[in-house]
Amino acid sequence: PVENVTFFDVLQFVAKLNDQPGATLRYRLPTEAEWEFACRAGTTGPFSTGENLTTAQANYRGAMPYASFPAGEFRQRTTAVGAFPANPWGLFDMHGNVWEWTADWYGPYAEGDAANIDPHGPAQGAKRVIRGGSWFFDANSARCGLRYTHSPQDKGFSLGFRLAADRRR
């Protein structure tokens, strides 16, 4: 996976991708809601794998499992993309490996169920939302619904990204 990238590095990369002549897709970072929807892949538990996430299913700090489940392996680094089984929609590494930047600024969720159907973050802020956990963090951080933040200028050994794409019109 790509790691050690700032939010601004990702925006530059996306701009270069979108400048390719003849491209049929427009790339972007997913919103926080899109990221979680993709991670859940139609499931309802804390993980797309159900009530637990093992180190045979994702790369996280295995000595720190979810809830009271048994500990697992701690690989101490990122692993190759696709080294673990895909989620039900065929997406790899939604849990663990590297935190992933999203397009949204961090803010509290709006009140009411209707306001939280495909929500977008606030128009501005100090920190961007990252999702997915990483090899360096515990299993809890890899839950589908766990939100974490970083300043957009931050980069780190377990901070990366995943892109979304829309058809060009």
Side-chain angles (χ1 to χ4, degrees), residues 5 7 32 35 98-106 127-134 137 141 143-152 154 158-161:
V5 291
F7 180 82
E32 180 182 8
W35 190 98
V98 296
W99 288 102
E100 298 179 3
W101 288 109
T102 71
D104 289 343
W105 290 104
Y106 175 77
K127 296 191 180 226
R128 294 281 181 173
V129 177
I130 57 174
R131 290 295 201 106
S134 84
F137 285 75
S141 71
R143 288 183 300 111
C144 296
L146 191 278
R147 309 170 79 204
Y148 201 57
T149 64
H150 261 288
S151 297
D154 290 348
S158 67
L159 189 54
F161 66 99

PDB file of all heavy atoms in Angstrom, residues 5 7 32 35 98-106 127-134 137 141 143-152 154 158-161:
ATOM      1  N   VAL A   5       1.858   9.547   3.197  1.00  0.00           N
ATOM      2  CA  VAL A   5       1.367  10.602   2.313  1.00  0.00           C
ATOM      3  C   VAL A   5       0.436  11.543   3.083  1.00  0.00           C
ATOM      4  O   VAL A   5      -0.366  11.102   3.895  1.00  0.00           O
ATOM      5  CB  VAL A   5       0.619  10.038   1.084  1.00  0.00           C
ATOM      6  CG1 VAL A   5       1.586   9.339   0.146  1.00  0.00           C
ATOM      7  CG2 VAL A   5      -0.503   9.097   1.477  1.00  0.00           C
ATOM      8  N   PHE A   7      -2.622  14.478   3.114  1.00  0.00           N
ATOM      9  CA  PHE A   7      -3.864  14.694   2.382  1.00  0.00           C
ATOM     10  C   PHE A   7      -3.562  15.471   1.097  1.00  0.00           C
ATOM     11  O   PHE A   7      -4.099  15.173   0.031  1.00  0.00           O
ATOM     12  CB  PHE A   7      -4.846  15.458   3.276  1.00  0.00           C
ATOM     13  CG  PHE A   7      -6.158  15.745   2.633  1.00  0.00           C
ATOM     14  CD1 PHE A   7      -7.156  14.788   2.598  1.00  0.00           C
ATOM     15  CD2 PHE A   7      -6.413  16.978   2.057  1.00  0.00           C
ATOM     16  CE1 PHE A   7      -8.375  15.047   2.005  1.00  0.00           C
ATOM     17  CE2 PHE A   7      -7.631  17.255   1.460  1.00  0.00           C
ATOM     18  CZ  PHE A   7      -8.613  16.284   1.437  1.00  0.00           C
ATOM     19  N   GLU A  32     -16.450  10.107   3.951  1.00  0.00           N
ATOM     20  CA  GLU A  32     -16.418   9.198   5.099  1.00  0.00           C
ATOM     21  C   GLU A  32     -17.566   8.193   5.026  1.00  0.00           C
ATOM     22  O   GLU A  32     -17.385   7.007   5.292  1.00  0.00           O
ATOM     23  CB  GLU A  32     -16.501  10.012   6.388  1.00  0.00           C
ATOM     24  CG  GLU A  32     -16.473   9.178   7.625  1.00  0.00           C
ATOM     25  CD  GLU A  32     -16.601   9.975   8.900  1.00  0.00           C
ATOM     26  OE1 GLU A  32     -16.863  11.191   8.864  1.00  0.00           O
ATOM     27  OE2 GLU A  32     -16.463   9.341   9.962  1.00  0.00           O
ATOM     28  N   TRP A  35     -16.852   5.560   2.414  1.00  0.00           N
ATOM     29  CA  TRP A  35     -15.833   4.635   2.894  1.00  0.00           C
ATOM     30  C   TRP A  35     -16.472   3.590   3.807  1.00  0.00           C
ATOM     31  O   TRP A  35     -16.246   2.393   3.647  1.00  0.00           O
ATOM     32  CB  TRP A  35     -14.704   5.379   3.618  1.00  0.00           C
ATOM     33  CG  TRP A  35     -13.551   4.481   3.889  1.00  0.00           C
ATOM     34  CD1 TRP A  35     -12.410   4.365   3.157  1.00  0.00           C
ATOM     35  CD2 TRP A  35     -13.453   3.507   4.943  1.00  0.00           C
ATOM     36  NE1 TRP A  35     -11.612   3.375   3.688  1.00  0.00           N
ATOM     37  CE2 TRP A  35     -12.235   2.839   4.790  1.00  0.00           C
ATOM     38  CE3 TRP A  35     -14.276   3.138   5.993  1.00  0.00           C
ATOM     39  CZ2 TRP A  35     -11.809   1.829   5.648  1.00  0.00           C
ATOM     40  CZ3 TRP A  35     -13.858   2.124   6.851  1.00  0.00           C
ATOM     41  CH2 TRP A  35     -12.639   1.484   6.670  1.00  0.00           C
ATOM     42  N   VAL A  98      -3.279   0.077   6.479  1.00  0.00           N
ATOM     43  CA  VAL A  98      -3.001   1.517   6.637  1.00  0.00           C
ATOM     44  C   VAL A  98      -4.305   2.285   6.849  1.00  0.00           C
ATOM     45  O   VAL A  98      -5.348   1.900   6.327  1.00  0.00           O
ATOM     46  CB  VAL A  98      -2.248   2.134   5.429  1.00  0.00           C
ATOM     47  CG1 VAL A  98      -0.861   1.530   5.267  1.00  0.00           C
ATOM     48  CG2 VAL A  98      -3.038   2.036   4.144  1.00  0.00           C
ATOM     49  N   TRP A  99      -4.221   3.343   7.649  1.00  0.00           N
ATOM     50  CA  TRP A  99      -5.337   4.280   7.750  1.00  0.00           C
ATOM     51  C   TRP A  99      -5.537   4.894   6.371  1.00  0.00           C
ATOM     52  O   TRP A  99      -4.565   5.099   5.634  1.00  0.00           O
ATOM     53  CB  TRP A  99      -5.013   5.405   8.729  1.00  0.00           C
ATOM     54  CG  TRP A  99      -5.002   5.003  10.166  1.00  0.00           C
ATOM     55  CD1 TRP A  99      -3.894   4.758  10.944  1.00  0.00           C
ATOM     56  CD2 TRP A  99      -6.135   4.824  11.016  1.00  0.00           C
ATOM     57  NE1 TRP A  99      -4.290   4.441  12.213  1.00  0.00           N
ATOM     58  CE2 TRP A  99      -5.653   4.474  12.290  1.00  0.00           C
ATOM     59  CE3 TRP A  99      -7.512   4.934  10.818  1.00  0.00           C
ATOM     60  CZ2 TRP A  99      -6.496   4.230  13.364  1.00  0.00           C
ATOM     61  CZ3 TRP A  99      -8.349   4.689  11.888  1.00  0.00           C
ATOM     62  CH2 TRP A  99      -7.847   4.345  13.144  1.00  0.00           C
ATOM     63  N   GLU A 100      -6.773   5.244   6.045  1.00  0.00           N
ATOM     64  CA  GLU A 100      -7.067   5.795   4.726  1.00  0.00           C
ATOM     65  C   GLU A 100      -7.735   7.159   4.851  1.00  0.00           C
ATOM     66  O   GLU A 100      -8.729   7.315   5.557  1.00  0.00           O
ATOM     67  CB  GLU A 100      -7.967   4.826   3.954  1.00  0.00           C
ATOM     68  CG  GLU A 100      -7.271   3.496   3.722  1.00  0.00           C
ATOM     69  CD  GLU A 100      -8.116   2.477   2.987  1.00  0.00           C
ATOM     70  OE1 GLU A 100      -9.251   2.788   2.577  1.00  0.00           O
ATOM     71  OE2 GLU A 100      -7.625   1.351   2.804  1.00  0.00           O
ATOM     72  N   TRP A 101      -7.148   8.143   4.154  1.00  0.00           N
ATOM     73  CA  TRP A 101      -7.730   9.481   4.114  1.00  0.00           C
ATOM     74  C   TRP A 101      -9.127   9.406   3.485  1.00  0.00           C
ATOM     75  O   TRP A 101      -9.344   8.644   2.552  1.00  0.00           O
ATOM     76  CB  TRP A 101      -6.880  10.417   3.242  1.00  0.00           C
ATOM     77  CG  TRP A 101      -5.572  10.824   3.811  1.00  0.00           C
ATOM     78  CD1 TRP A 101      -4.331  10.423   3.383  1.00  0.00           C
ATOM     79  CD2 TRP A 101      -5.340  11.751   4.869  1.00  0.00           C
ATOM     80  NE1 TRP A 101      -3.362  11.036   4.124  1.00  0.00           N
ATOM     81  CE2 TRP A 101      -3.956  11.866   5.036  1.00  0.00           C
ATOM     82  CE3 TRP A 101      -6.180  12.499   5.695  1.00  0.00           C
ATOM     83  CZ2 TRP A 101      -3.380  12.688   6.006  1.00  0.00           C
ATOM     84  CZ3 TRP A 101      -5.613  13.322   6.654  1.00  0.00           C
ATOM     85  CH2 TRP A 101      -4.231  13.412   6.801  1.00  0.00           C
ATOM     86  N   THR A 102     -10.030  10.228   3.972  1.00  0.00           N
ATOM     87  CA  THR A 102     -11.310  10.434   3.299  1.00  0.00           C
ATOM     88  C   THR A 102     -11.393  11.905   2.904  1.00  0.00           C
ATOM     89  O   THR A 102     -10.571  12.721   3.325  1.00  0.00           O
ATOM     90  CB  THR A 102     -12.520  10.068   4.194  1.00  0.00           C
ATOM     91  OG1 THR A 102     -12.644  11.038   5.229  1.00  0.00           O
ATOM     92  CG2 THR A 102     -12.381   8.665   4.767  1.00  0.00           C
ATOM     93  N   ALA A 103     -12.403  12.249   2.143  1.00  0.00           N
ATOM     94  CA  ALA A 103     -12.558  13.625   1.663  1.00  0.00           C
ATOM     95  C   ALA A 103     -13.094  14.571   2.733  1.00  0.00           C
ATOM     96  O   ALA A 103     -12.998  15.784   2.583  1.00  0.00           O
ATOM     97  CB  ALA A 103     -13.504  13.640   0.457  1.00  0.00           C
ATOM     98  N   ASP A 104     -13.645  14.031   3.815  1.00  0.00           N
ATOM     99  CA  ASP A 104     -14.373  14.852   4.782  1.00  0.00           C
ATOM    100  C   ASP A 104     -13.506  15.446   5.888  1.00  0.00           C
ATOM    101  O   ASP A 104     -12.580  14.809   6.393  1.00  0.00           O
ATOM    102  CB  ASP A 104     -15.475  14.024   5.454  1.00  0.00           C
ATOM    103  CG  ASP A 104     -16.625  13.702   4.515  1.00  0.00           C
ATOM    104  OD1 ASP A 104     -16.738  14.361   3.470  1.00  0.00           O
ATOM    105  OD2 ASP A 104     -17.393  12.799   4.840  1.00  0.00           O
ATOM    106  N   TRP A 105     -13.896  16.672   6.256  1.00  0.00           N
ATOM    107  CA  TRP A 105     -13.390  17.266   7.489  1.00  0.00           C
ATOM    108  C   TRP A 105     -14.087  16.565   8.640  1.00  0.00           C
ATOM    109  O   TRP A 105     -15.221  16.102   8.510  1.00  0.00           O
ATOM    110  CB  TRP A 105     -13.710  18.767   7.552  1.00  0.00           C
ATOM    111  CG  TRP A 105     -12.942  19.596   6.590  1.00  0.00           C
ATOM    112  CD1 TRP A 105     -13.405  20.148   5.426  1.00  0.00           C
ATOM    113  CD2 TRP A 105     -11.572  19.989   6.689  1.00  0.00           C
ATOM    114  NE1 TRP A 105     -12.416  20.847   4.798  1.00  0.00           N
ATOM    115  CE2 TRP A 105     -11.276  20.772   5.553  1.00  0.00           C
ATOM    116  CE3 TRP A 105     -10.568  19.753   7.614  1.00  0.00           C
ATOM    117  CZ2 TRP A 105     -10.015  21.326   5.334  1.00  0.00           C
ATOM    118  CZ3 TRP A 105      -9.313  20.308   7.398  1.00  0.00           C
ATOM    119  CH2 TRP A 105      -9.056  21.075   6.261  1.00  0.00           C
ATOM    120  N   TYR A 106     -13.431  16.519   9.793  1.00  0.00           N
ATOM    121  CA  TYR A 106     -14.045  15.898  10.965  1.00  0.00           C
ATOM    122  C   TYR A 106     -15.063  16.845  11.586  1.00  0.00           C
ATOM    123  O   TYR A 106     -14.831  18.047  11.693  1.00  0.00           O
ATOM    124  CB  TYR A 106     -12.991  15.549  12.022  1.00  0.00           C
ATOM    125  CG  TYR A 106     -13.629  15.017  13.273  1.00  0.00           C
ATOM    126  CD1 TYR A 106     -14.097  13.711  13.315  1.00  0.00           C
ATOM    127  CD2 TYR A 106     -13.820  15.824  14.383  1.00  0.00           C
ATOM    128  CE1 TYR A 106     -14.723  13.214  14.439  1.00  0.00           C
ATOM    129  CE2 TYR A 106     -14.441  15.338  15.519  1.00  0.00           C
ATOM    130  CZ  TYR A 106     -14.887  14.035  15.539  1.00  0.00           C
ATOM    131  OH  TYR A 106     -15.519  13.561  16.652  1.00  0.00           O
ATOM    132  N   LYS A 127      -9.110  19.074  11.072  1.00  0.00           N
ATOM    133  CA  LYS A 127      -8.643  17.709  10.846  1.00  0.00           C
ATOM    134  C   LYS A 127      -9.530  16.986   9.845  1.00  0.00           C
ATOM    135  O   LYS A 127     -10.723  17.216   9.778  1.00  0.00           O
ATOM    136  CB  LYS A 127      -8.613  16.939  12.162  1.00  0.00           C
ATOM    137  CG  LYS A 127      -7.608  17.547  13.134  1.00  0.00           C
ATOM    138  CD  LYS A 127      -7.359  16.667  14.310  1.00  0.00           C
ATOM    139  CE  LYS A 127      -6.361  17.364  15.197  1.00  0.00           C
ATOM    140  NZ  LYS A 127      -5.318  16.512  15.636  1.00  0.00           N
ATOM    141  N   ARG A 128      -8.906  16.094   9.091  1.00  0.00           N
ATOM    142  CA  ARG A 128      -9.614  15.252   8.130  1.00  0.00           C
ATOM    143  C   ARG A 128      -9.869  13.890   8.752  1.00  0.00           C
ATOM    144  O   ARG A 128      -9.091  13.412   9.586  1.00  0.00           O
ATOM    145  CB  ARG A 128      -8.791  15.054   6.854  1.00  0.00           C
ATOM    146  CG  ARG A 128      -8.587  16.310   6.044  1.00  0.00           C
ATOM    147  CD  ARG A 128      -9.813  16.622   5.241  1.00  0.00           C
ATOM    148  NE  ARG A 128      -9.616  17.821   4.429  1.00  0.00           N
ATOM    149  CZ  ARG A 128     -10.468  18.232   3.538  1.00  0.00           C
ATOM    150  NH1 ARG A 128     -11.581  17.562   3.309  1.00  0.00           N
ATOM    151  NH2 ARG A 128     -10.240  19.328   2.859  1.00  0.00           N
ATOM    152  N   VAL A 129     -10.931  13.251   8.326  1.00  0.00           N
ATOM    153  CA  VAL A 129     -11.271  11.919   8.829  1.00  0.00           C
ATOM    154  C   VAL A 129     -10.429  10.875   8.108  1.00  0.00           C
ATOM    155  O   VAL A 129     -10.270  10.929   6.880  1.00  0.00           O
ATOM    156  CB  VAL A 129     -12.764  11.622   8.624  1.00  0.00           C
ATOM    157  CG1 VAL A 129     -13.101  10.197   9.074  1.00  0.00           C
ATOM    158  CG2 VAL A 129     -13.626  12.633   9.365  1.00  0.00           C
ATOM    159  N   ILE A 130      -9.899   9.945   8.876  1.00  0.00           N
ATOM    160  CA  ILE A 130      -9.235   8.765   8.323  1.00  0.00           C
ATOM    161  C   ILE A 130      -9.982   7.545   8.848  1.00  0.00           C
ATOM    162  O   ILE A 130     -10.588   7.589   9.911  1.00  0.00           O
ATOM    163  CB  ILE A 130      -7.725   8.697   8.654  1.00  0.00           C
ATOM    164  CG1 ILE A 130      -7.491   8.727  10.164  1.00  0.00           C
ATOM    165  CG2 ILE A 130      -6.985   9.830   7.951  1.00  0.00           C
ATOM    166  CD1 ILE A 130      -6.030   8.519  10.554  1.00  0.00           C
ATOM    167  N   ARG A 131      -9.944   6.476   8.095  1.00  0.00           N
ATOM    168  CA  ARG A 131     -10.706   5.275   8.446  1.00  0.00           C
ATOM    169  C   ARG A 131      -9.864   4.014   8.236  1.00  0.00           C
ATOM    170  O   ARG A 131      -8.898   4.023   7.481  1.00  0.00           O
ATOM    171  CB  ARG A 131     -11.963   5.171   7.585  1.00  0.00           C
ATOM    172  CG  ARG A 131     -13.045   6.194   7.864  1.00  0.00           C
ATOM    173  CD  ARG A 131     -13.622   6.025   9.263  1.00  0.00           C
ATOM    174  NE  ARG A 131     -14.931   6.611   9.393  1.00  0.00           N
ATOM    175  CZ  ARG A 131     -16.058   5.926   9.466  1.00  0.00           C
ATOM    176  NH1 ARG A 131     -16.080   4.633   9.439  1.00  0.00           N
ATOM    177  NH2 ARG A 131     -17.208   6.554   9.579  1.00  0.00           N
ATOM    178  N   GLY A 132     -10.250   2.940   8.897  1.00  0.00           N
ATOM    179  CA  GLY A 132      -9.738   1.610   8.599  1.00  0.00           C
ATOM    180  C   GLY A 132      -8.743   0.997   9.552  1.00  0.00           C
ATOM    181  O   GLY A 132      -8.487  -0.187   9.487  1.00  0.00           O
ATOM    182  N   GLY A 133      -8.131   1.795  10.420  1.00  0.00           N
ATOM    183  CA  GLY A 133      -7.105   1.235  11.291  1.00  0.00           C
ATOM    184  C   GLY A 133      -5.815   0.988  10.533  1.00  0.00           C
ATOM    185  O   GLY A 133      -5.665   1.358   9.377  1.00  0.00           O
ATOM    186  N   SER A 134      -4.858   0.356  11.198  1.00  0.00           N
ATOM    187  CA  SER A 134      -3.588   0.067  10.537  1.00  0.00           C
ATOM    188  C   SER A 134      -2.872  -1.081  11.229  1.00  0.00           C
ATOM    189  O   SER A 134      -3.300  -1.553  12.279  1.00  0.00           O
ATOM    190  CB  SER A 134      -2.675   1.302  10.532  1.00  0.00           C
ATOM    191  OG  SER A 134      -1.948   1.413  11.749  1.00  0.00           O
ATOM    192  N   PHE A 137      -2.065  -0.357  14.941  1.00  0.00           N
ATOM    193  CA  PHE A 137      -3.128  -0.132  15.914  1.00  0.00           C
ATOM    194  C   PHE A 137      -3.869  -1.430  16.229  1.00  0.00           C
ATOM    195  O   PHE A 137      -3.740  -2.418  15.531  1.00  0.00           O
ATOM    196  CB  PHE A 137      -4.103   0.926  15.393  1.00  0.00           C
ATOM    197  CG  PHE A 137      -3.566   2.323  15.476  1.00  0.00           C
ATOM    198  CD1 PHE A 137      -2.602   2.773  14.589  1.00  0.00           C
ATOM    199  CD2 PHE A 137      -4.024   3.195  16.443  1.00  0.00           C
ATOM    200  CE1 PHE A 137      -2.103   4.060  14.662  1.00  0.00           C
ATOM    201  CE2 PHE A 137      -3.532   4.489  16.529  1.00  0.00           C
ATOM    202  CZ  PHE A 137      -2.575   4.919  15.643  1.00  0.00           C
ATOM    203  N   SER A 141      -9.590  -0.365  16.360  1.00  0.00           N
ATOM    204  CA  SER A 141      -9.422   0.756  15.423  1.00  0.00           C
ATOM    205  C   SER A 141      -9.798   0.377  13.997  1.00  0.00           C
ATOM    206  O   SER A 141     -10.019   1.255  13.162  1.00  0.00           O
ATOM    207  CB  SER A 141      -7.979   1.277  15.451  1.00  0.00           C
ATOM    208  OG  SER A 141      -7.100   0.357  14.841  1.00  0.00           O
ATOM    209  N   ARG A 143     -12.533  -1.289  13.174  1.00  0.00           N
ATOM    210  CA  ARG A 143     -13.986  -1.458  13.029  1.00  0.00           C
ATOM    211  C   ARG A 143     -14.511  -0.590  11.889  1.00  0.00           C
ATOM    212  O   ARG A 143     -14.005   0.515  11.642  1.00  0.00           O
ATOM    213  CB  ARG A 143     -14.712  -1.059  14.322  1.00  0.00           C
ATOM    214  CG  ARG A 143     -14.540  -2.021  15.450  1.00  0.00           C
ATOM    215  CD  ARG A 143     -15.332  -1.625  16.694  1.00  0.00           C
ATOM    216  NE  ARG A 143     -14.935  -0.318  17.200  1.00  0.00           N
ATOM    217  CZ  ARG A 143     -15.710   0.773  17.166  1.00  0.00           C
ATOM    218  NH1 ARG A 143     -16.920   0.724  16.646  1.00  0.00           N
ATOM    219  NH2 ARG A 143     -15.270   1.908  17.656  1.00  0.00           N
ATOM    220  N   CYS A 144     -15.558  -1.059  11.232  1.00  0.00           N
ATOM    221  CA  CYS A 144     -16.179  -0.314  10.130  1.00  0.00           C
ATOM    222  C   CYS A 144     -16.560   1.103  10.544  1.00  0.00           C
ATOM    223  O   CYS A 144     -16.397   2.045   9.772  1.00  0.00           O
ATOM    224  CB  CYS A 144     -17.441  -1.025   9.642  1.00  0.00           C
ATOM    225  SG  CYS A 144     -17.179  -2.642   8.917  1.00  0.00           S
ATOM    226  N   GLY A 145     -17.073   1.276  11.747  1.00  0.00           N
ATOM    227  CA  GLY A 145     -17.592   2.568  12.184  1.00  0.00           C
ATOM    228  C   GLY A 145     -16.620   3.443  12.945  1.00  0.00           C
ATOM    229  O   GLY A 145     -16.996   4.531  13.383  1.00  0.00           O
ATOM    230  N   LEU A 146     -15.373   3.024  13.122  1.00  0.00           N
ATOM    231  CA  LEU A 146     -14.424   3.805  13.915  1.00  0.00           C
ATOM    232  C   LEU A 146     -13.922   5.007  13.122  1.00  0.00           C
ATOM    233  O   LEU A 146     -13.452   4.868  11.996  1.00  0.00           O
ATOM    234  CB  LEU A 146     -13.258   2.926  14.353  1.00  0.00           C
ATOM    235  CG  LEU A 146     -12.277   3.465  15.401  1.00  0.00           C
ATOM    236  CD1 LEU A 146     -11.218   4.352  14.905  1.00  0.00           C
ATOM    237  CD2 LEU A 146     -12.899   3.828  16.686  1.00  0.00           C
ATOM    238  N   ARG A 147     -14.011   6.183  13.725  1.00  0.00           N
ATOM    239  CA  ARG A 147     -13.532   7.420  13.098  1.00  0.00           C
ATOM    240  C   ARG A 147     -12.261   7.874  13.813  1.00  0.00           C
ATOM    241  O   ARG A 147     -12.180   7.847  15.031  1.00  0.00           O
ATOM    242  CB  ARG A 147     -14.572   8.519  13.253  1.00  0.00           C
ATOM    243  CG  ARG A 147     -15.944   8.126  12.826  1.00  0.00           C
ATOM    244  CD  ARG A 147     -16.964   9.162  13.232  1.00  0.00           C
ATOM    245  NE  ARG A 147     -16.935  10.284  12.296  1.00  0.00           N
ATOM    246  CZ  ARG A 147     -17.343  11.505  12.587  1.00  0.00           C
ATOM    247  NH1 ARG A 147     -17.819  11.803  13.773  1.00  0.00           N
ATOM    248  NH2 ARG A 147     -17.296  12.452  11.669  1.00  0.00           N
ATOM    249  N   TYR A 148     -11.286   8.312  13.038  1.00  0.00           N
ATOM    250  CA  TYR A 148     -10.064   8.873  13.602  1.00  0.00           C
ATOM    251  C   TYR A 148      -9.703  10.070  12.731  1.00  0.00           C
ATOM    252  O   TYR A 148     -10.251  10.234  11.642  1.00  0.00           O
ATOM    253  CB  TYR A 148      -8.964   7.796  13.601  1.00  0.00           C
ATOM    254  CG  TYR A 148      -7.826   8.043  14.562  1.00  0.00           C
ATOM    255  CD1 TYR A 148      -8.044   8.219  15.924  1.00  0.00           C
ATOM    256  CD2 TYR A 148      -6.522   8.085  14.101  1.00  0.00           C
ATOM    257  CE1 TYR A 148      -6.987   8.433  16.793  1.00  0.00           C
ATOM    258  CE2 TYR A 148      -5.455   8.287  14.962  1.00  0.00           C
ATOM    259  CZ  TYR A 148      -5.693   8.462  16.309  1.00  0.00           C
ATOM    260  OH  TYR A 148      -4.649   8.676  17.165  1.00  0.00           O
ATOM    261  N   THR A 149      -8.795  10.902  13.196  1.00  0.00           N
ATOM    262  CA  THR A 149      -8.478  12.121  12.443  1.00  0.00           C
ATOM    263  C   THR A 149      -6.981  12.364  12.359  1.00  0.00           C
ATOM    264  O   THR A 149      -6.204  11.857  13.174  1.00  0.00           O
ATOM    265  CB  THR A 149      -9.120  13.357  13.114  1.00  0.00           C
ATOM    266  OG1 THR A 149      -8.543  13.525  14.416  1.00  0.00           O
ATOM    267  CG2 THR A 149     -10.618  13.224  13.214  1.00  0.00           C
ATOM    268  N   HIS A 150      -6.626  13.175  11.389  1.00  0.00           N
ATOM    269  CA  HIS A 150      -5.270  13.716  11.253  1.00  0.00           C
ATOM    270  C   HIS A 150      -5.375  15.083  10.610  1.00  0.00           C
ATOM    271  O   HIS A 150      -6.295  15.346   9.829  1.00  0.00           O
ATOM    272  CB  HIS A 150      -4.397  12.827  10.357  1.00  0.00           C
ATOM    273  CG  HIS A 150      -3.493  11.908  11.111  1.00  0.00           C
ATOM    274  ND1 HIS A 150      -2.391  12.331  11.800  1.00  0.00           N
ATOM    275  CD2 HIS A 150      -3.539  10.569  11.275  1.00  0.00           C
ATOM    276  CE1 HIS A 150      -1.785  11.308  12.350  1.00  0.00           C
ATOM    277  NE2 HIS A 150      -2.477  10.218  12.051  1.00  0.00           N
ATOM    278  N   SER A 151      -4.416  15.935  10.912  1.00  0.00           N
ATOM    279  CA  SER A 151      -4.307  17.210  10.203  1.00  0.00           C
ATOM    280  C   SER A 151      -3.905  16.904   8.766  1.00  0.00           C
ATOM    281  O   SER A 151      -3.128  15.970   8.530  1.00  0.00           O
ATOM    282  CB  SER A 151      -3.250  18.102  10.859  1.00  0.00           C
ATOM    283  OG  SER A 151      -3.648  18.418  12.174  1.00  0.00           O
ATOM    284  N   PRO A 152      -4.419  17.662   7.793  1.00  0.00           N
ATOM    285  CA  PRO A 152      -4.148  17.323   6.388  1.00  0.00           C
ATOM    286  C   PRO A 152      -2.669  17.346   5.999  1.00  0.00           C
ATOM    287  O   PRO A 152      -2.280  16.695   5.041  1.00  0.00           O
ATOM    288  CB  PRO A 152      -4.936  18.362   5.594  1.00  0.00           C
ATOM    289  CG  PRO A 152      -5.564  19.273   6.566  1.00  0.00           C
ATOM    290  CD  PRO A 152      -5.315  18.781   7.948  1.00  0.00           C
ATOM    291  N   ASP A 154      -0.295  16.126   7.873  1.00  0.00           N
ATOM    292  CA  ASP A 154       0.373  15.001   8.517  1.00  0.00           C
ATOM    293  C   ASP A 154       0.646  13.879   7.526  1.00  0.00           C
ATOM    294  O   ASP A 154      -0.109  13.668   6.583  1.00  0.00           O
ATOM    295  CB  ASP A 154      -0.492  14.427   9.646  1.00  0.00           C
ATOM    296  CG  ASP A 154      -0.608  15.354  10.840  1.00  0.00           C
ATOM    297  OD1 ASP A 154       0.137  16.344  10.918  1.00  0.00           O
ATOM    298  OD2 ASP A 154      -1.475  15.080  11.698  1.00  0.00           O
ATOM    299  N   SER A 158       1.789   4.687   8.765  1.00  0.00           N
ATOM    300  CA  SER A 158       0.604   3.846   8.544  1.00  0.00           C
ATOM    301  C   SER A 158      -0.565   4.682   8.034  1.00  0.00           C
ATOM    302  O   SER A 158      -1.714   4.387   8.307  1.00  0.00           O
ATOM    303  CB  SER A 158       0.225   3.106   9.823  1.00  0.00           C
ATOM    304  OG  SER A 158      -0.232   3.988  10.819  1.00  0.00           O
ATOM    305  N   LEU A 159      -0.266   5.716   7.252  1.00  0.00           N
ATOM    306  CA  LEU A 159      -1.297   6.609   6.725  1.00  0.00           C
ATOM    307  C   LEU A 159      -1.249   6.595   5.201  1.00  0.00           C
ATOM    308  O   LEU A 159      -0.253   6.981   4.597  1.00  0.00           O
ATOM    309  CB  LEU A 159      -1.061   8.025   7.258  1.00  0.00           C
ATOM    310  CG  LEU A 159      -2.123   9.065   7.003  1.00  0.00           C
ATOM    311  CD1 LEU A 159      -3.488   8.612   7.484  1.00  0.00           C
ATOM    312  CD2 LEU A 159      -1.746  10.371   7.705  1.00  0.00           C
ATOM    313  N   GLY A 160      -2.339   6.117   4.597  1.00  0.00           N
ATOM    314  CA  GLY A 160      -2.403   5.984   3.144  1.00  0.00           C
ATOM    315  C   GLY A 160      -3.743   6.432   2.599  1.00  0.00           C
ATOM    316  O   GLY A 160      -4.404   7.284   3.181  1.00  0.00           O
ATOM    317  N   PHE A 161      -4.182   5.826   1.497  1.00  0.00           N
ATOM    318  CA  PHE A 161      -5.448   6.238   0.896  1.00  0.00           C
ATOM    319  C   PHE A 161      -5.989   5.164  -0.029  1.00  0.00           C
ATOM    320  O   PHE A 161      -5.300   4.238  -0.415  1.00  0.00           O
ATOM    321  CB  PHE A 161      -5.304   7.562   0.140  1.00  0.00           C
ATOM    322  CG  PHE A 161      -4.418   7.504  -1.078  1.00  0.00           C
ATOM    323  CD1 PHE A 161      -4.976   7.388  -2.344  1.00  0.00           C
ATOM    324  CD2 PHE A 161      -3.040   7.571  -0.961  1.00  0.00           C
ATOM    325  CE1 PHE A 161      -4.169   7.348  -3.480  1.00  0.00           C
ATOM    326  CE2 PHE A 161      -2.231   7.532  -2.078  1.00  0.00           C
ATOM    327  CZ  PHE A 161      -2.795   7.420  -3.339  1.00  0.00           C
TER     328      PHE A 161
END
